[in-house]
Amino acid sequence: MDEMTQRTVYVNGDYVAERDATVSIFDRGFLLADGVYEVSSVLGGKLIDFPGHMGRLNRSAAALELALPWDEEALLAIHRELIRRNALDEGMVYLQLTRGSAGDRDFHYPDADTQPTLVLFTQAKSLVDARSGREGIRVATQPDWRWARRDIKTVQLLYPAMAKMAAAAAGADDAWLVEDGMVTEGASNNAWMLTRDGALVTRELSPAILPGITRAVVMELAEALSLRIEERAFSVEEAREARECFVTSASSFVTPVIAIDDVPIGDGRPGEVARRLRAAYIEESRRRAL
Ligand code: PMP
């Protein structure tokens, strides 16, 4: 980024130009991926699903015995200040919390007086009018070779990055991860399908998947639309035969999946239920935004 477009980012209490932002080389986030993160989307300069994202941040931090010395109100104030300073209208705010630096490398957690590292930055992006939302995406299946605690939103994203690269090499837009023949979730989103007899299916919550904040809201909206919901695992074969498939995440909202491993889903175009849920999610999010 050139001088004119330098973002203002947040690092441990300070708002600084991105080029002046620094974190220790001994930070445990850098050395050990000992940290958690959240991504909250922004529409019209306001945060969507913010309490949900901060609730999950608390649960992720607690699962790792990671101190989070900021309450939701303080974190909201930091998010809002960054949005204001960067004049962000639409896009995301990324937050990362790590166990900080004890000044050396050691597997054991440092003493409780070691300060955690908190970093936030904004990313401007067109979300509502994203082409993927209109036209859908093609996914390629990849083995789910992540660790067993995928319910914690840690920054160890190397395998999802590898899976996305493998999917791109296969000509797809994203990866769906598969374990024992069953879809766990997308590499950075939750996976859904609509069966031919009209049931909306997404995997039940467990340590095998991340409890998506968007997933929870979309489930409420689907109930309001009187859709029949089944929380259960589904196979790649079942998904290929589905009437529709889609993914949900904070930054992609509801995005249709039009092919799995080059097999078209339904008629190969974005489905009607995905389209309705996307519209309902955007409308509801604008209404609830903070
Ligand atoms: N699963 C994984 C593996 C993810 O990385 C994400 C995105 N954070 C999601 C699901 C969707 O979660 P959310 O709706 O909270 O963005």
Side-chain angles (χ1 to χ4, degrees):
M1 277 201 182
D2 62 29
E3 188 133 10
M4 296 302 290
T5 54
Q6 281 262 325
R7 280 172 288 192
T8 296
V9 303
Y10 175 93
V11 187
N12 294 327
D14 296 322
Y15 294 89
V16 295
E18 59 182 63
R19 80 149 79 83
D20 299 325
T22 57
V23 172
S24 167
I25 65 158
F26 298 114
D27 194 279
R28 292 176 63 91
F30 177 63
L31 293 179
L32 300 157
D34 186 357
V36 297
Y37 75 108
E38 279 297 330
V39 177
S40 305
S41 285
V42 172
L43 287 183
K46 289 184 173 179
L47 290 151
I48 65 180
D49 294 337
F50 187 75
H53 286 287
M54 293 305 104
R56 187 174 59 192
L57 177 65
N58 262 295
R59 293 193 296 281
S60 294
L64 301 180
E65 296 170 52
L66 190 51
L68 177 55
W70 295 268
D71 62 14
E72 192 175 315
E73 203 181 326
L75 293 171
L76 177 59
I78 298 168
H79 278 77
R80 283 181 165 161
E81 182 63 14
L82 262 196
I83 291 168
R84 190 187 69 76
R85 289 188 186 226
N86 292 285
L88 182 67
D89 177 59
E90 193 164 322
M92 294 90 81
V93 181
Y94 175 89
L95 175 158
Q96 179 167 330
L97 171 77
T98 79
R99 206 178 305 275
S101 159
D104 202 353
R105 181 174 181 269
D106 182 359
F107 281 75
H108 300 92
Y109 295 175
D111 296 341
D113 61 359
T114 299
Q115 288 303 304
T117 299
L118 181 66
V119 167
L120 287 89
F121 56 82
T122 54
Q123 294 182 289
K125 195 177 176 198
S126 183
L127 304 176
V128 172
D129 291 326
R131 185 176 155 188
S132 53
R134 270 196 318 273
E135 298 180 7
I137 58 169
R138 310 169 65 83
V139 302
T141 57
Q142 294 293 322
D144 197 339
W145 284 341
R146 297 173 300 164
W147 77 330
R149 288 304 305 278
R150 303 157 193 158
D151 54 322
I152 310 171
K153 198 166 169 62
T154 76
V155 296
Q156 14 170 23
L157 295 175
L158 180 56
Y159 187 70
M162 290 170 71
K164 281 177 188 267
M165 293 305 290
D173 303 299
D174 206 347
W176 271 20
L177 304 177
V178 179
E179 193 167 55
D180 302 325
M182 309 303 259
V183 176
T184 49
E185 57 187 333
S188 61
N189 44 56
N190 289 112
W192 301 66
M193 65 161 192
L194 181 77
T195 63
R196 292 197 182 269
D197 64 357
L200 195 53
V201 186
T202 194
R203 196 172 173 118
E204 77 278 8
L205 297 184
S206 78
I209 66 166
L210 187 79
I213 304 306
T214 318
R215 174 190 181 281
V217 175
V218 167
M219 205 165 278
E220 281 174 31
L221 296 169
E223 269 164 27
L225 291 172
S226 300
L227 289 162
R228 178 158 51 92
I229 298 164
E230 292 177 11
E231 283 185 83
R232 61 168 175 86
F234 57 88
S235 66
V236 178
E237 290 69 32
E238 207 181 352
R240 283 204 203 103
E241 293 296 311
R243 195 194 298 173
E244 294 186 25
C245 288
F246 61 88
V247 294
T248 57
S249 75
S251 57
S252 74
F253 307 153
V254 177
T255 293
V257 168
I258 55 169
I260 301 175
D261 294 331
D262 291 325
V263 176
I265 305 303
D267 63 3
R269 287 179 305 188
E272 181 57 22
V273 169
R275 197 191 60 72
R276 278 166 64 200
L277 286 171
R278 180 180 176 86
Y281 178 78
I282 292 169
E283 190 190 319
E284 184 65 11
S285 295
R286 286 196 194 280
R287 214 175 54 71
R288 291 190 201 171
L290 293 177

PDB file of all heavy atoms in Angstrom, residues 14-39:
ATOM      1  N   ASP A  14      -2.600   1.183  21.000  1.00  0.00           N
ATOM      2  CA  ASP A  14      -2.253   2.324  20.145  1.00  0.00           C
ATOM      3  C   ASP A  14      -2.864   2.195  18.757  1.00  0.00           C
ATOM      4  O   ASP A  14      -2.935   1.102  18.187  1.00  0.00           O
ATOM      5  CB  ASP A  14      -0.725   2.421  19.981  1.00  0.00           C
ATOM      6  CG  ASP A  14      -0.031   2.700  21.299  1.00  0.00           C
ATOM      7  OD1 ASP A  14      -0.593   3.485  22.095  1.00  0.00           O
ATOM      8  OD2 ASP A  14       1.040   2.109  21.528  1.00  0.00           O
ATOM      9  N   TYR A  15      -3.275   3.328  18.214  1.00  0.00           N
ATOM     10  CA  TYR A  15      -3.720   3.407  16.825  1.00  0.00           C
ATOM     11  C   TYR A  15      -2.542   3.958  16.035  1.00  0.00           C
ATOM     12  O   TYR A  15      -2.094   5.080  16.299  1.00  0.00           O
ATOM     13  CB  TYR A  15      -4.935   4.325  16.694  1.00  0.00           C
ATOM     14  CG  TYR A  15      -6.151   3.777  17.406  1.00  0.00           C
ATOM     15  CD1 TYR A  15      -6.400   4.078  18.751  1.00  0.00           C
ATOM     16  CD2 TYR A  15      -7.041   2.933  16.739  1.00  0.00           C
ATOM     17  CE1 TYR A  15      -7.505   3.562  19.405  1.00  0.00           C
ATOM     18  CE2 TYR A  15      -8.157   2.415  17.400  1.00  0.00           C
ATOM     19  CZ  TYR A  15      -8.379   2.732  18.730  1.00  0.00           C
ATOM     20  OH  TYR A  15      -9.466   2.217  19.374  1.00  0.00           O
ATOM     21  N   VAL A  16      -2.003   3.161  15.114  1.00  0.00           N
ATOM     22  CA  VAL A  16      -0.794   3.567  14.385  1.00  0.00           C
ATOM     23  C   VAL A  16      -0.948   3.269  12.899  1.00  0.00           C
ATOM     24  O   VAL A  16      -1.773   2.434  12.500  1.00  0.00           O
ATOM     25  CB  VAL A  16       0.469   2.841  14.923  1.00  0.00           C
ATOM     26  CG1 VAL A  16       0.769   3.260  16.356  1.00  0.00           C
ATOM     27  CG2 VAL A  16       0.316   1.331  14.831  1.00  0.00           C
ATOM     28  N   ALA A  17      -0.117   3.949  12.070  1.00  0.00           N
ATOM     29  CA  ALA A  17      -0.095   3.633  10.636  1.00  0.00           C
ATOM     30  C   ALA A  17       0.402   2.198  10.481  1.00  0.00           C
ATOM     31  O   ALA A  17       1.263   1.748  11.245  1.00  0.00           O
ATOM     32  CB  ALA A  17       0.834   4.597   9.918  1.00  0.00           C
ATOM     33  N   GLU A  18      -0.124   1.485   9.488  1.00  0.00           N
ATOM     34  CA  GLU A  18       0.224   0.060   9.373  1.00  0.00           C
ATOM     35  C   GLU A  18       1.720  -0.177   9.289  1.00  0.00           C
ATOM     36  O   GLU A  18       2.233  -1.168   9.802  1.00  0.00           O
ATOM     37  CB  GLU A  18      -0.529  -0.610   8.215  1.00  0.00           C
ATOM     38  CG  GLU A  18      -0.273  -0.005   6.861  1.00  0.00           C
ATOM     39  CD  GLU A  18      -1.092  -0.707   5.769  1.00  0.00           C
ATOM     40  OE1 GLU A  18      -2.325  -0.657   5.831  1.00  0.00           O
ATOM     41  OE2 GLU A  18      -0.495  -1.293   4.869  1.00  0.00           O
ATOM     42  N   ARG A  19       2.459   0.754   8.628  1.00  0.00           N
ATOM     43  CA  ARG A  19       3.897   0.521   8.499  1.00  0.00           C
ATOM     44  C   ARG A  19       4.654   0.714   9.815  1.00  0.00           C
ATOM     45  O   ARG A  19       5.781   0.242   9.949  1.00  0.00           O
ATOM     46  CB  ARG A  19       4.494   1.414   7.403  1.00  0.00           C
ATOM     47  CG  ARG A  19       4.754   2.836   7.834  1.00  0.00           C
ATOM     48  CD  ARG A  19       5.949   3.436   7.096  1.00  0.00           C
ATOM     49  NE  ARG A  19       5.601   3.873   5.747  1.00  0.00           N
ATOM     50  CZ  ARG A  19       5.052   5.028   5.476  1.00  0.00           C
ATOM     51  NH1 ARG A  19       4.736   5.872   6.449  1.00  0.00           N
ATOM     52  NH2 ARG A  19       4.793   5.373   4.254  1.00  0.00           N
ATOM     53  N   ASP A  20       4.026   1.353  10.779  1.00  0.00           N
ATOM     54  CA  ASP A  20       4.674   1.552  12.083  1.00  0.00           C
ATOM     55  C   ASP A  20       4.237   0.521  13.122  1.00  0.00           C
ATOM     56  O   ASP A  20       4.683   0.571  14.267  1.00  0.00           O
ATOM     57  CB  ASP A  20       4.363   2.960  12.614  1.00  0.00           C
ATOM     58  CG  ASP A  20       4.889   4.032  11.683  1.00  0.00           C
ATOM     59  OD1 ASP A  20       5.962   3.802  11.081  1.00  0.00           O
ATOM     60  OD2 ASP A  20       4.230   5.079  11.540  1.00  0.00           O
ATOM     61  N   ALA A  21       3.371  -0.393  12.722  1.00  0.00           N
ATOM     62  CA  ALA A  21       2.845  -1.380  13.678  1.00  0.00           C
ATOM     63  C   ALA A  21       3.836  -2.534  13.826  1.00  0.00           C
ATOM     64  O   ALA A  21       4.270  -3.129  12.840  1.00  0.00           O
ATOM     65  CB  ALA A  21       1.501  -1.917  13.174  1.00  0.00           C
ATOM     66  N   THR A  22       4.203  -2.868  15.056  1.00  0.00           N
ATOM     67  CA  THR A  22       5.156  -3.967  15.273  1.00  0.00           C
ATOM     68  C   THR A  22       4.694  -4.887  16.400  1.00  0.00           C
ATOM     69  O   THR A  22       4.020  -4.472  17.335  1.00  0.00           O
ATOM     70  CB  THR A  22       6.556  -3.447  15.643  1.00  0.00           C
ATOM     71  OG1 THR A  22       6.438  -2.622  16.803  1.00  0.00           O
ATOM     72  CG2 THR A  22       7.185  -2.652  14.521  1.00  0.00           C
ATOM     73  N   VAL A  23       5.117  -6.142  16.283  1.00  0.00           N
ATOM     74  CA  VAL A  23       4.893  -7.160  17.312  1.00  0.00           C
ATOM     75  C   VAL A  23       6.229  -7.888  17.461  1.00  0.00           C
ATOM     76  O   VAL A  23       6.956  -8.065  16.484  1.00  0.00           O
ATOM     77  CB  VAL A  23       3.777  -8.143  16.864  1.00  0.00           C
ATOM     78  CG1 VAL A  23       3.665  -9.319  17.815  1.00  0.00           C
ATOM     79  CG2 VAL A  23       2.427  -7.417  16.782  1.00  0.00           C
ATOM     80  N   SER A  24       6.555  -8.316  18.666  1.00  0.00           N
ATOM     81  CA  SER A  24       7.832  -8.992  18.941  1.00  0.00           C
ATOM     82  C   SER A  24       8.017 -10.261  18.114  1.00  0.00           C
ATOM     83  O   SER A  24       7.052 -10.993  17.884  1.00  0.00           O
ATOM     84  CB  SER A  24       7.888  -9.354  20.425  1.00  0.00           C
ATOM     85  OG  SER A  24       8.951 -10.261  20.667  1.00  0.00           O
ATOM     86  N   ILE A  25       9.267 -10.557  17.721  1.00  0.00           N
ATOM     87  CA  ILE A  25       9.537 -11.847  17.050  1.00  0.00           C
ATOM     88  C   ILE A  25       9.318 -13.016  18.011  1.00  0.00           C
ATOM     89  O   ILE A  25       9.201 -14.152  17.581  1.00  0.00           O
ATOM     90  CB  ILE A  25      10.970 -11.954  16.464  1.00  0.00           C
ATOM     91  CG1 ILE A  25      12.025 -11.938  17.568  1.00  0.00           C
ATOM     92  CG2 ILE A  25      11.209 -10.891  15.401  1.00  0.00           C
ATOM     93  CD1 ILE A  25      13.349 -12.569  17.135  1.00  0.00           C
ATOM     94  N   PHE A  26       9.278 -12.747  19.321  1.00  0.00           N
ATOM     95  CA  PHE A  26       9.035 -13.802  20.301  1.00  0.00           C
ATOM     96  C   PHE A  26       7.547 -13.967  20.612  1.00  0.00           C
ATOM     97  O   PHE A  26       7.167 -14.760  21.475  1.00  0.00           O
ATOM     98  CB  PHE A  26       9.794 -13.522  21.609  1.00  0.00           C
ATOM     99  CG  PHE A  26      11.288 -13.484  21.411  1.00  0.00           C
ATOM    100  CD1 PHE A  26      11.996 -12.302  21.598  1.00  0.00           C
ATOM    101  CD2 PHE A  26      11.978 -14.623  21.022  1.00  0.00           C
ATOM    102  CE1 PHE A  26      13.368 -12.264  21.406  1.00  0.00           C
ATOM    103  CE2 PHE A  26      13.352 -14.594  20.832  1.00  0.00           C
ATOM    104  CZ  PHE A  26      14.056 -13.409  21.028  1.00  0.00           C
ATOM    105  N   ASP A  27       6.698 -13.213  19.915  1.00  0.00           N
ATOM    106  CA  ASP A  27       5.260 -13.343  20.183  1.00  0.00           C
ATOM    107  C   ASP A  27       4.829 -14.785  19.914  1.00  0.00           C
ATOM    108  O   ASP A  27       5.167 -15.385  18.882  1.00  0.00           O
ATOM    109  CB  ASP A  27       4.448 -12.376  19.315  1.00  0.00           C
ATOM    110  CG  ASP A  27       3.028 -12.259  19.817  1.00  0.00           C
ATOM    111  OD1 ASP A  27       2.202 -13.149  19.491  1.00  0.00           O
ATOM    112  OD2 ASP A  27       2.742 -11.310  20.565  1.00  0.00           O
ATOM    113  N   ARG A  28       4.084 -15.355  20.844  1.00  0.00           N
ATOM    114  CA  ARG A  28       3.675 -16.758  20.725  1.00  0.00           C
ATOM    115  C   ARG A  28       2.699 -16.994  19.572  1.00  0.00           C
ATOM    116  O   ARG A  28       2.566 -18.122  19.085  1.00  0.00           O
ATOM    117  CB  ARG A  28       3.081 -17.250  22.045  1.00  0.00           C
ATOM    118  CG  ARG A  28       4.133 -17.348  23.149  1.00  0.00           C
ATOM    119  CD  ARG A  28       3.500 -17.744  24.461  1.00  0.00           C
ATOM    120  NE  ARG A  28       2.895 -19.064  24.405  1.00  0.00           N
ATOM    121  CZ  ARG A  28       3.524 -20.208  24.723  1.00  0.00           C
ATOM    122  NH1 ARG A  28       4.772 -20.182  25.112  1.00  0.00           N
ATOM    123  NH2 ARG A  28       2.883 -21.355  24.656  1.00  0.00           N
ATOM    124  N   GLY A  29       2.050 -15.933  19.105  1.00  0.00           N
ATOM    125  CA  GLY A  29       1.215 -16.068  17.919  1.00  0.00           C
ATOM    126  C   GLY A  29       2.105 -16.395  16.723  1.00  0.00           C
ATOM    127  O   GLY A  29       1.794 -17.293  15.924  1.00  0.00           O
ATOM    128  N   PHE A  30       3.234 -15.698  16.615  1.00  0.00           N
ATOM    129  CA  PHE A  30       4.186 -15.895  15.524  1.00  0.00           C
ATOM    130  C   PHE A  30       4.919 -17.229  15.652  1.00  0.00           C
ATOM    131  O   PHE A  30       5.029 -17.986  14.681  1.00  0.00           O
ATOM    132  CB  PHE A  30       5.179 -14.718  15.530  1.00  0.00           C
ATOM    133  CG  PHE A  30       6.268 -14.806  14.504  1.00  0.00           C
ATOM    134  CD1 PHE A  30       5.997 -14.794  13.144  1.00  0.00           C
ATOM    135  CD2 PHE A  30       7.594 -14.883  14.910  1.00  0.00           C
ATOM    136  CE1 PHE A  30       7.016 -14.877  12.206  1.00  0.00           C
ATOM    137  CE2 PHE A  30       8.621 -14.965  13.977  1.00  0.00           C
ATOM    138  CZ  PHE A  30       8.334 -14.967  12.626  1.00  0.00           C
ATOM    139  N   LEU A  31       5.422 -17.570  16.834  1.00  0.00           N
ATOM    140  CA  LEU A  31       6.240 -18.777  17.007  1.00  0.00           C
ATOM    141  C   LEU A  31       5.419 -20.064  17.089  1.00  0.00           C
ATOM    142  O   LEU A  31       5.865 -21.109  16.619  1.00  0.00           O
ATOM    143  CB  LEU A  31       7.103 -18.665  18.273  1.00  0.00           C
ATOM    144  CG  LEU A  31       8.197 -17.598  18.268  1.00  0.00           C
ATOM    145  CD1 LEU A  31       8.925 -17.608  19.610  1.00  0.00           C
ATOM    146  CD2 LEU A  31       9.191 -17.833  17.134  1.00  0.00           C
ATOM    147  N   LEU A  32       4.235 -19.986  17.713  1.00  0.00           N
ATOM    148  CA  LEU A  32       3.504 -21.224  18.042  1.00  0.00           C
ATOM    149  C   LEU A  32       2.049 -21.235  17.574  1.00  0.00           C
ATOM    150  O   LEU A  32       1.319 -22.176  17.885  1.00  0.00           O
ATOM    151  CB  LEU A  32       3.522 -21.426  19.571  1.00  0.00           C
ATOM    152  CG  LEU A  32       4.913 -21.563  20.204  1.00  0.00           C
ATOM    153  CD1 LEU A  32       4.879 -21.210  21.668  1.00  0.00           C
ATOM    154  CD2 LEU A  32       5.419 -22.979  20.019  1.00  0.00           C
ATOM    155  N   ALA A  33       1.623 -20.211  16.847  1.00  0.00           N
ATOM    156  CA  ALA A  33       0.200 -20.071  16.487  1.00  0.00           C
ATOM    157  C   ALA A  33      -0.663 -20.105  17.748  1.00  0.00           C
ATOM    158  O   ALA A  33      -1.763 -20.666  17.746  1.00  0.00           O
ATOM    159  CB  ALA A  33      -0.235 -21.126  15.473  1.00  0.00           C
ATOM    160  N   ASP A  34      -0.107 -19.528  18.834  1.00  0.00           N
ATOM    161  CA  ASP A  34      -0.799 -19.533  20.125  1.00  0.00           C
ATOM    162  C   ASP A  34      -1.691 -18.287  20.216  1.00  0.00           C
ATOM    163  O   ASP A  34      -1.386 -17.328  20.922  1.00  0.00           O
ATOM    164  CB  ASP A  34       0.245 -19.558  21.251  1.00  0.00           C
ATOM    165  CG  ASP A  34      -0.366 -19.720  22.629  1.00  0.00           C
ATOM    166  OD1 ASP A  34      -1.611 -19.763  22.736  1.00  0.00           O
ATOM    167  OD2 ASP A  34       0.408 -19.786  23.603  1.00  0.00           O
ATOM    168  N   GLY A  35      -2.772 -18.321  19.471  1.00  0.00           N
ATOM    169  CA  GLY A  35      -3.652 -17.164  19.466  1.00  0.00           C
ATOM    170  C   GLY A  35      -4.976 -17.485  18.811  1.00  0.00           C
ATOM    171  O   GLY A  35      -5.144 -18.540  18.182  1.00  0.00           O
ATOM    172  N   VAL A  36      -5.923 -16.592  19.003  1.00  0.00           N
ATOM    173  CA  VAL A  36      -7.263 -16.760  18.448  1.00  0.00           C
ATOM    174  C   VAL A  36      -7.638 -15.492  17.680  1.00  0.00           C
ATOM    175  O   VAL A  36      -6.989 -14.453  17.826  1.00  0.00           O
ATOM    176  CB  VAL A  36      -8.297 -17.053  19.560  1.00  0.00           C
ATOM    177  CG1 VAL A  36      -7.957 -18.378  20.258  1.00  0.00           C
ATOM    178  CG2 VAL A  36      -8.359 -15.928  20.579  1.00  0.00           C
ATOM    179  N   TYR A  37      -8.692 -15.590  16.849  1.00  0.00           N
ATOM    180  CA  TYR A  37      -9.062 -14.422  16.056  1.00  0.00           C
ATOM    181  C   TYR A  37     -10.562 -14.386  15.816  1.00  0.00           C
ATOM    182  O   TYR A  37     -11.273 -15.356  16.083  1.00  0.00           O
ATOM    183  CB  TYR A  37      -8.294 -14.396  14.731  1.00  0.00           C
ATOM    184  CG  TYR A  37      -8.771 -15.381  13.681  1.00  0.00           C
ATOM    185  CD1 TYR A  37      -9.461 -14.944  12.545  1.00  0.00           C
ATOM    186  CD2 TYR A  37      -8.554 -16.753  13.826  1.00  0.00           C
ATOM    187  CE1 TYR A  37      -9.898 -15.839  11.582  1.00  0.00           C
ATOM    188  CE2 TYR A  37      -8.994 -17.651  12.866  1.00  0.00           C
ATOM    189  CZ  TYR A  37      -9.661 -17.192  11.745  1.00  0.00           C
ATOM    190  OH  TYR A  37     -10.104 -18.072  10.797  1.00  0.00           O
ATOM    191  N   GLU A  38     -11.021 -13.250  15.327  1.00  0.00           N
ATOM    192  CA  GLU A  38     -12.407 -13.081  14.894  1.00  0.00           C
ATOM    193  C   GLU A  38     -12.417 -12.154  13.688  1.00  0.00           C
ATOM    194  O   GLU A  38     -11.549 -11.291  13.553  1.00  0.00           O
ATOM    195  CB  GLU A  38     -13.278 -12.458  15.998  1.00  0.00           C
ATOM    196  CG  GLU A  38     -13.761 -13.444  17.047  1.00  0.00           C
ATOM    197  CD  GLU A  38     -14.669 -14.543  16.509  1.00  0.00           C
ATOM    198  OE1 GLU A  38     -15.403 -14.314  15.526  1.00  0.00           O
ATOM    199  OE2 GLU A  38     -14.633 -15.646  17.065  1.00  0.00           O
ATOM    200  N   VAL A  39     -13.390 -12.326  12.844  1.00  0.00           N
ATOM    201  CA  VAL A  39     -13.601 -11.419  11.713  1.00  0.00           C
ATOM    202  C   VAL A  39     -15.049 -10.962  11.785  1.00  0.00           C
ATOM    203  O   VAL A  39     -15.963 -11.790  11.734  1.00  0.00           O
ATOM    204  CB  VAL A  39     -13.346 -12.121  10.362  1.00  0.00           C
ATOM    205  CG1 VAL A  39     -13.639 -11.180   9.203  1.00  0.00           C
ATOM    206  CG2 VAL A  39     -11.918 -12.661  10.286  1.00  0.00           C
TER     207      VAL A  39
END
